[in-house]
Amino acid sequence: MSGDLPTDINIKEPRWDQSTFVGRAKHFFTVTDPRNILLSNSQLENASRIVHTYRLGQVPSGLTEDQLWKAKYIYDSAFHPDTGDKMFVIGRMSAQVPMNMTITGCMMTFYRSTPAVLFWQWINQSFNAVVNYTNRSGDAPITVNQLGTAYVCATTGAVITALGLNSLTKHVTPLIGRFVPFAAVAAANCINIPFMRQRELKHGIPVFDEHGKRLGESEKAAQQAIGQVIVSRICMAAPGMGIPPFIMNALDKRAFMKRFPWLGAPIQVGLVGLCLVFATPLCCALFPQKSSMAVTRLEPSLQEHIHQNGNDVQTVYFNKGL
């Protein structure tokens, strides 16, 4: 098939300049749009077909540039950038707002009793484990045993840390107590993400030159990628867990809240959701998705391998994950 649309539009890269924060923000506002999780399988497969057909140099009849970019962003929101596999729906970044607003809102509402803390922290860390695995970097397979071990270690370590920090709520003022779940989530992210992506730390992630040629796998690149993801995730949680406590602390003193205490949970969930709508894409945009590293910072063995193959490369690129 052929059409009027040129075949040289680079849809392997985002539509907006990724060297600027504004360009990355526009990109992630599109990718993390919660409406993407409502798309049917047929719509996702159609977007995938358009993207793959165009990459082969074929333009479906009547396809416009806006339709091409729309298909590309639908594809990016549901398919893994390295493996090309369709991602588990709740692990996609477009599911972050509805999933996190519910879980985080409940964590911040039911933080006073140990059973409630245990339950919601387990739910939160299980969800994080799914997201961390779904948005990992690289295309190497992971066995069921490796995945199970990583999940148990990640969730157990994160929940224990969260429970320890939540025990502090008994010794602080109600306002300070509302911030303890955020401290627990931040600490837990530092445990969960490395555990769920431990294979990358052990064996490295693929690195490429500027033309997309694969040069090898690097543990150093994996360390940088996972460090950036941890920072992004903590910052992503900060507004939703930092702003609502002040509002809820003020509302708790109002007569209508004392009369209808059950309103606390839905109000908190709504406030968290409002924060996450903006925090999710903006914090994803803190670092480029296609991260880079100087060759001189790579492992000596990989540096030698790159130079032995006659590659005059100064910088390598890799998918950092989300």
Side-chain angles (χ1 to χ4, degrees):
M1 290 184 293
S2 62
D4 295 328
L5 191 67
T7 58
D8 58 352
I9 299 174
N10 185 11
I11 59 171
K12 290 183 179 180
E13 300 293 334
R15 189 173 192 174
W16 298 281
D17 182 7
Q18 296 299 284
S19 65
T20 69
F21 177 78
V22 172
R24 295 194 297 271
K26 289 180 179 179
H27 167 70
F28 282 112
F29 265 108
T30 307
V31 171
T32 64
D33 187 338
R35 293 174 296 180
N36 289 336
I37 62 173
L38 301 176
L39 298 172
S40 65
N41 281 331
S42 61
Q43 289 174 300
L44 296 179
E45 293 301 334
N46 183 56
S48 176
R49 186 163 52 253
I50 290 173
V51 168
H52 287 298
T53 300
Y54 186 83
R55 286 176 178 173
L56 293 174
Q58 301 172 340
V59 182
S61 178
L63 184 70
T64 66
E65 183 172 351
D66 285 340
Q67 290 173 332
L68 174 64
W69 281 112
K70 182 178 180 180
K72 180 257 195 309
Y73 274 103
I74 290 175
Y75 177 83
D76 284 353
S77 75
F79 293 85
H80 193 278
D82 292 330
T83 66
D85 295 334
K86 188 184 294 182
M87 296 184 287
F88 185 47
V89 63
I90 67 169
R92 301 171 192 168
M93 293 309 291
S94 53
Q96 281 285 293
V97 173
M99 291 297 296
N100 265 330
M101 67 183 283
T102 304
I103 296 171
T104 303
C106 289
M107 277 198 303
M108 295 175 66
T109 301
F110 309 110
Y111 66 93
R112 291 185 176 91
S113 72
T114 299
V117 168
L118 180 61
F119 175 75
W120 284 108
Q121 285 293 346
W122 171 71
I123 290 291
N124 183 51
Q125 294 311 319
S126 295
F127 169 65
N128 283 342
V130 171
V131 173
N132 295 335
Y133 172 73
T134 302
N135 294 280
R136 67 197 184 282
S137 175
D139 52 10
I142 181 170
T143 67
V144 174
N145 285 338
Q146 290 173 326
L147 182 59
T149 301
Y151 168 74
V152 171
C153 292
T155 53
T156 302
V159 168
I160 290 174
T161 302
L163 285 173
L165 286 170
N166 270 278
S167 66
L168 298 175
T169 58
K170 300 174 183 176
H171 311 291
V172 296
T173 63
L175 177 59
I176 298 299
R178 289 183 180 275
F179 286 97
V180 172
F182 170 65
V185 166
N189 270 326
C190 297
I191 298 171
N192 196 314
I193 295 173
F195 263 117
M196 290 307 297
R197 296 178 61 176
Q198 60 181 290
R199 192 191 184 288
E200 299 169 40
L201 293 171
K202 292 178 181 178
H203 303 289
I205 58 176
V207 295
F208 305 85
D209 65 13
E210 61 181 334
H211 303 296
K213 178 183 177 183
R214 188 164 179 160
L215 303 174
E217 287 74 37
S218 169
E219 292 91 347
K220 294 283 189 182
Q223 292 169 12
Q224 175 176 304
I226 291 172
Q228 290 178 344
V229 169
I230 289 173
V231 172
S232 294
R233 293 285 188 82
I234 292 174
C235 292
M236 197 183 297
M241 301 188 82
I243 297 173
F246 288 105
I247 299 174
M248 292 305 300
N249 200 57
L251 290 178
D252 281 345
K253 299 172 184 176
R254 302 286 182 176
F256 78 93
M257 283 296 289
K258 293 178 181 178
R259 186 178 177 185
F260 305 107
W262 57 268
L263 285 172
I267 291 175
Q268 187 119 250
V269 168
L271 290 171
V272 172
L274 182 62
C275 293
L276 284 172
V277 164
F278 298 96
T280 299
L282 292 176
C283 292
C284 282
L286 289 176
F287 305 100
Q289 175 76 37
K290 184 178 179 181
S291 195
S292 62
M293 176 179 281
V295 170
T296 54
R297 293 180 56 201
L298 297 174
E299 299 85 337
S301 58
L302 182 54
Q303 292 185 44
E304 184 178 353
H305 172 74
I306 291 173
H307 293 135
Q308 281 181 347
N309 284 276
N311 295 304
D312 185 22
V313 178
Q314 304 301 318
T315 304
V316 295
Y317 302 88
F318 49 91
N319 170 34
K320 71 173 176 63
L322 287 173

